[in-house]
Every structure is written in C-alpha cells, then in structure tokens.
Amino acid sequence: MWWLMSLLAGLAAPAQAQDTLMGARYMSPSEAYGHGAVAQGEYSELEVTSRTGTHRVRLDGQVFEDTAPRLADLDGDGVPEVVTVVSQFDRGAQIMIWGLRDSGLTPLAWTPPIGTRHRWLAVAGIADLDKDGRMEIAYVDRPHLARVLRVIRVWRADDAWRVVPVASADGHTNHRYGAPGMEGGIFDCGQGPEILTSDRDWQRVQAARLVNGRLQTRDLGRYSGPNSLRCD
C-alpha cells in the first residue's frame, strides 16, 4: 500500500462522519528519518481532538515533517480537515489531508511525494486565493533547493476528493534549512490574498497573486528579516 500506518484505538467515543475537529498536534518526536530540515520537526504521530474525544494515527515508514498541522475547511461543509506534511522515507515529502470518519482518523487526499528521500516542502498557507469558491494550498517545493512556489486546489465532489495543480513560479522560498518555522504566508496587502515569500537569495520580498490560473509576482522591497514578510 502507498501508506503504512497503524491506527490507535479511539481514546473516547468513536468518530462520526460529521464530528467537528477542535485541534490537532504532532506527537512522538522521531529520529528515524533523520533529515533535520525543520528543527525538531519530525514526528511519528498525529493527534486530533474533536467533540467526541481524542483520536491518533501513527505512521510507519514515514514521518510528519512539519511545524504544526493546520485546520482548514476545504470542502465548505463547516467541518475542518487537517492539512499535514508527510515524508516517506524513500520518496520524500507530500501534502496529506486527514479527516474523521467512522473508522477514525483517515487520509482523504494527498499530493504525489516529491520522489526522493530528504526532499521537503514548506506550506505557505491555505485560502481561496482567486475567489472562485474553492480552497487552495500554497507551498514551496524544496525551499532550500528548487525554490518553486506551487498552488494546488482541493475540493470534494460527493464523496470523492480532488487535488489539482493550479500554478507554479520559480524563485521563491519561505524557509531556511534547520529553522523551526516558516516565514511569510498568505496576507492581504491591499490587492486581495497574496502569498508572501522571499526570493531565492533572501534579498527581496515577493508577493504572488493567483490570477486566471497563473501566479503574478510583484516585488515589495528589500528583505530585512521575518517581519518584512508580513502585511499587518
């Protein structure tokens, strides 16, 4: 199977299809993968709390390689999903989206892994970037190497989840190797939602908008630290 994991028994009442997620966190720091891209950022478990209790999933042959899981309502039903970064030991990182079903915490949708061990991606943010009613996830593919900003669109049609690549742009990064967190994110700097990143050399601040299926990037000035990658 593409994923190898064991589900821990529910710690409270069993999950239901519309059980509302209240919070999520990574647990059980792991040294099994040994990448070190994110300081103390490799974990073997995901824990989710909901109205019915606490639910966990443990990975085998993979780790959660990330700063924190993100809750986002990707299908507009009022119930958030959990967006994570999972790294397969032999194929690198991928985005994986989780939800609660009758069987417990379950993967709903995912991107293909990058394809090579110790190759990572850094999530920049989640929003409806082009105001079409569907949610997008923005991330930097290999922020220390390739430095490609990518946008994918995620939605659900009946019971089938869809993940579709939308746009990409070279020359973006949002993470320094070994740092504990990402910089930048999705902000409204006066022109609607934009993805703020650094250029590949950490010299300039960039803002990328999704327009008609393409990323339009503008320069916002000199990079002078994490606070320069914000619009407050």
Side-chain angles (χ1 to χ4, degrees):
M1 296 178 68
W2 65 267
W3 54 287
L4 295 171
M5 68 182 190
S6 60
L7 290 173
L8 301 183
L11 302 182
Q16 302 298 320
Q18 291 300 308
D19 191 8
T20 299
L21 300 180
M22 310 297 290
R25 62 174 178 163
Y26 296 130
M27 297 183 62
S28 302
S30 173
E31 297 181 357
Y33 189 43
H35 187 193
V38 181
Q40 300 178 337
E42 298 170 33
Y43 305 86
S44 61
E45 286 188 71
L46 171 67
E47 180 184 89
V48 169
T49 55
S50 73
R51 290 183 300 186
T52 64
T54 302
H55 316 271
R56 291 180 185 170
V57 63
R58 178 187 291 274
L59 298 181
D60 183 16
Q62 308 169 81
V63 292
F64 296 101
E65 188 175 13
D66 199 4
T67 56
R70 299 154 184 84
L71 297 185
D73 182 5
L74 298 175
D75 58 359
D77 67 351
V79 178
E81 285 71 45
V82 185
V83 178
T84 68
V85 178
V86 170
S87 288
Q88 299 186 33
F89 285 5
D90 58 346
R91 301 180 66 195
Q94 63 189 138
I95 289 175
M96 192 170 293
I97 298 161
W98 304 77
L100 287 175
R101 296 296 181 264
D102 291 340
S103 59
L105 192 56
T106 303
L108 306 175
W110 51 88
T111 62
I114 290 172
T116 301
R117 178 179 173 85
H118 289 177
R119 296 295 181 265
W120 184 61
L121 62 86
V123 174
I126 306 168
D128 181 358
L129 291 171
D130 56 0
K131 302 301 183 182
D132 68 346
R134 289 178 174 172
M135 296 290 281
E136 283 85 32
I137 301 174
Y139 66 94
V140 179
D141 178 353
R142 291 159 291 173
H144 322 119
L145 296 171
R147 299 178 177 91
V148 178
L149 177 62
R150 299 191 187 278
V151 174
I152 58 174
R153 183 168 292 127
V154 182
W155 76 96
R156 180 169 61 88
D158 297 323
D159 291 329
W161 282 84
R162 300 284 186 263
V163 179
V164 176
V166 175
S168 64
D170 292 337
H172 293 259
T173 189
N174 63 346
H175 184 262
R176 299 178 188 269
Y177 192 90
M182 272 73 80
E183 298 185 29
I186 296 177
F187 297 89
D188 188 340
C189 300
Q191 298 188 16
E194 294 180 292
I195 310 157
L196 266 61
T197 65
S198 168
D199 68 351
R200 64 172 51 250
D201 298 317
W202 295 96
Q203 298 297 312
R204 307 295 298 179
V205 175
Q206 302 182 117
R209 296 175 60 211
L210 182 62
V211 180
N212 297 324
R214 299 176 64 88
L215 285 170
Q216 297 181 354
T217 302
R218 63 191 180 107
D219 185 285
L220 294 185
R222 184 174 65 87
Y223 173 82
S224 58
N227 288 337
S228 62
L229 287 177
R230 301 181 59 87
C231 289
D232 295 321

